[in-house]
């Protein structure tokens, strides 16, 4: 895989360099609530601009239905990128139309432009190779060179991720190089004890990675909404907690495998419960109580791990040499249910381990809860991509850059 430093050594001055970034940031009424992904790609963009490239930045945001939708415009991300770079960033109001062509044509050496949300064009995400390829052909007309640096999208076989690199000279940006390097530390010659913390809502989203990690991790700590399917599989009642009954038999199989293989599979011993999901907008005080994990009332819902579980999980992390954490262990967006996720983050920082926070909500939680993100070994920008890499899958965006 060609590096950006090799590309820079060849010279990029005056060339149109297409940077496939991941500017898929969370928005609240048009305001960015977490700019971590923009900051992550900034070094690549800045270096190219400093070298005199005419930088064309492209990304998706959200899940528009293959046509323009103002709610998913990249305009706020373009504005924030300009602030971070300290220089104006031009913005094209379409992907491959007149605005994009005019905006790119107007770039001088060292200038940067962002084109509109790639998913406003159905060809970006099409399952049809010809339709996707046709869109990639249009994108290729905007550039001379391709740099892949949108790690959060490399697990998608999309036009700008998979098809476009085949049409242009290409290299990996700094972010992708860093992300892949970190993930290799979690899959080859791992320093032990190796502890994995898995949270999030649905156990079905994590089955494949659990299957893979049962042969690699020393301990797997389970939290979040997915924990209640594990507790149910143990024979506990879980009230009105999130439960995937169709996954119970698979979970039982994994629990048996973990025991047979000597992998510690650690579940909550107590939880915070309430009769209803909290209103995140008003932050109203929630009616909650702490109960043992096998004593969840029939009319209550588990929303966070309890104090005894927080201590238990911290003890399981304390002597680790490597920790991978993906998924919050409670409804961290509400202050009453942020304690568990905060405790996990603190346990990672208190350990001497190489710590990796696996993107998505976990990365957002670290920042929202006020932790110094630089204190962690690495905070990934791609939760889904990280999980699929750990599952041993081929990531289309990485394969394209290696081609």
């Amino acid at each position: 895989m060609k590096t950006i430093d090799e590309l820079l050594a060849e010279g990029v001055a005056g060339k149109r360099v297409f940077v496939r970034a991941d500017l898929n940031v969370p928005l609240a009424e048009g305001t960015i609530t977490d700019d971590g992904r923009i900051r992550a790609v900034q070094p690549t963009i800045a270096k190219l601009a400093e070298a005199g490239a005419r930088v064309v930045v492209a990304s998706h945001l959200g899940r528009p239905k293959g046509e323009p939708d103002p709610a998913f415009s990249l305009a706020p991300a373009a504005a924030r990128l300009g602030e971070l770079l300290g220089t104006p960033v031009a913005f094209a109001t379409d992907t491959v139309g007149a605005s994009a062509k005019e905006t790119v044509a107007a770039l001088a050496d060292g200038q940067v432009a962002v084109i509109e949300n790639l998913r406003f064009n159905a060809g970006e995400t099409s399952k049809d190779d010809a339709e996707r390829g046709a869109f990639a052909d249009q994108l290729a007309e905007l550039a001379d060179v391709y740099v892949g640096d949108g790690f959060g999208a490399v697990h998608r076989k999309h036009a700008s991720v998979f098809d476009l690199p085949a049409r242009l000279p290409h290299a990996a940006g700094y972010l992708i190089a860093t992300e892949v390097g970190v993930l290799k530390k979690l899959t080859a010659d791992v320093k032990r004890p190796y502890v994995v913390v898995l949270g999030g809502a649905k156990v079905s989203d994590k089955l494949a990675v659990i299957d893979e990690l049962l042969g690699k991790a020393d301990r797997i700590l389970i939290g979040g909404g997915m924990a209640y399917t594990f507790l149910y599989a143990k024979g506990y009642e879980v009230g009105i907690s999130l439960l995937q009954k169709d996954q119970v038999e698979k979970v039982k199989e994994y629990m048996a495998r973990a025991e047979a293989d000597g992998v510690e599979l650690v579940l909550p011993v107590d939880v915070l419960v309430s009769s209803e999901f909290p209103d995140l907008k008003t932050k109203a005080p929630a009616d909650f109580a702490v109960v043992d994990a096998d004593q969840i009332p029939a009319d209550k819902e588990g929303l966070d791990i309890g104090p005894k579980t927080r201590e238990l999980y911290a003890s399981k992390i304390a002597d680790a040499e490597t920790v991978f954490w993906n998924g919050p262990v409670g409804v961290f967006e509400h202050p009453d249910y942020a304690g568990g996720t905060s405790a996990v983050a603190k346990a990672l920082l208190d350990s001497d381990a190489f710590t990796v926070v696996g993107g998505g909500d976990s990365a957002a939680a670290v920042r929202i809860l006020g932790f110094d993100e630089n204190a962690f070994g690495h905070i990934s920008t791609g939760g889904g991509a990280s999980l699929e890499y750990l599952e041993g899958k081929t990531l289309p965006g990485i394969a394209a850059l290696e081609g």
Side-chain angles (χ1 to χ4, degrees):
M1 187 161 59
K2 190 174 187 176
T3 69
I4 189 172
D5 286 331
E6 290 173 316
L7 179 66
L8 289 166
E10 294 172 358
V12 294
K15 293 183 179 179
R16 300 169 301 163
V17 180
F18 188 104
V19 178
R20 200 335 179 158
D22 180 8
L23 308 181
N24 185 28
V25 292
L27 297 171
E29 298 180 354
T31 300
I32 296 170
T33 58
D34 181 2
D35 67 355
R37 283 174 169 162
I38 304 175
R39 287 186 287 109
V41 76
Q42 179 195 351
T44 291
I45 295 169
K47 195 74 171 181
L48 288 166
E50 288 170 10
R54 302 178 182 190
V55 187
V56 182
V57 182
S59 176
H60 70 287
L61 191 152
R63 297 180 183 273
K65 306 299 183 182
E67 57 186 29
D69 183 339
F72 297 106
S73 175
L74 278 174
R80 180 58 181 146
L81 177 61
E83 292 172 355
L84 292 170
L85 292 172
T87 186
V89 168
F91 182 67
T93 57
D94 57 26
T95 55
V96 291
S99 179
K101 292 174 182 176
E102 292 168 6
T103 301
V104 173
L107 288 174
D109 293 0
Q111 291 187 331
V112 179
V114 174
I115 63 174
E116 187 55 284
N117 192 334
L118 291 164
R119 291 186 184 174
F120 285 1
N121 188 305
E124 169 68 2
T125 59
S126 177
K127 298 276 193 271
D128 182 84
D129 290 348
E131 184 180 9
R132 220 177 45 246
F135 183 49
D137 287 338
Q138 291 178 290
L139 291 172
E141 293 177 6
L142 300 175
D144 305 303
V145 181
Y146 177 94
V147 171
D149 216 27
F151 181 74
V154 293
H155 58 313
R156 306 295 187 192
K157 192 176 182 181
H158 291 170
S160 66
V161 176
F162 179 75
D163 301 274
L164 185 55
R167 288 158 168 77
L168 295 169
H170 51 267
Y174 292 122
L175 175 61
I176 278 186
T178 298
E179 295 271 16
V180 172
V182 166
L183 289 171
K184 285 181 178 177
K185 292 184 180 180
L186 300 179
T187 54
D189 299 322
V190 182
K191 292 186 177 179
R192 299 182 179 280
Y194 178 20
V195 178
V196 176
V197 184
L198 294 177
K202 295 182 178 180
V203 68
S204 56
D205 292 340
K206 304 289 168 66
L207 286 177
V209 77
I210 293 172
D211 183 49
E212 189 71 18
L213 288 170
L214 281 173
K216 295 178 179 175
D218 298 299
R219 300 173 196 140
I220 302 176
L221 318 183
I222 303 293
M226 62 183 285
Y228 302 100
T229 300
F230 278 86
L231 294 174
Y232 188 87
K234 284 190 70 174
Y236 298 169
E237 292 300 323
V238 296
I240 57 172
S241 304
L242 188 61
L243 172 63
Q244 289 186 284
K245 284 191 176 182
D246 61 330
Q247 303 296 336
V248 169
E249 291 307 311
K250 179 61 70 174
V251 165
K252 286 182 178 179
E253 175 192 325
Y254 285 171
M255 291 166 69
R257 274 181 55 195
E259 185 174 1
D261 295 344
V263 177
E264 283 191 76
L265 191 61
V266 188
L267 302 178
V269 295
D270 62 343
V271 296
L272 269 65
V273 298
S274 177
S275 57
E276 59 182 353
F277 198 85
D279 186 334
L280 303 181
K281 290 184 178 180
T282 63
K283 304 292 186 187
D287 170 28
F288 67 88
V290 178
V291 300
D292 287 342
D294 60 352
Q295 298 295 322
I296 298 175
D299 63 342
K300 301 288 186 184
E301 176 179 12
L303 296 168
D304 194 12
I305 58 172
K308 288 188 291 187
T309 304
R310 296 170 196 176
E311 291 183 12
L312 172 64
Y313 286 9
S315 72
K316 297 296 183 181
I317 292 169
D319 68 340
E321 289 291 332
T322 305
V323 182
F324 173 69
W325 172 30
N326 181 280
V329 297
V331 187
F332 73 92
E333 300 93 339
H334 192 287
D336 287 337
Y337 303 107
T341 300
S342 182
V344 168
K346 185 176 185 302
L348 264 66
L349 295 181
D350 288 344
S351 75
D352 292 324
F354 174 63
T355 55
V356 179
V357 181
D361 287 339
S362 311
V366 163
R367 289 186 277 266
I368 290 170
L369 296 175
F371 290 94
D372 178 5
E373 57 191 297
N374 294 318
F376 296 86
H378 179 69
I379 296 182
S380 178
T381 56
S386 296
L387 288 178
E388 290 199 15
Y389 188 98
L390 294 181
E391 289 166 20
K393 292 183 178 179
T394 297
L395 305 184
I398 301 299
L401 291 173
E402 291 173 339

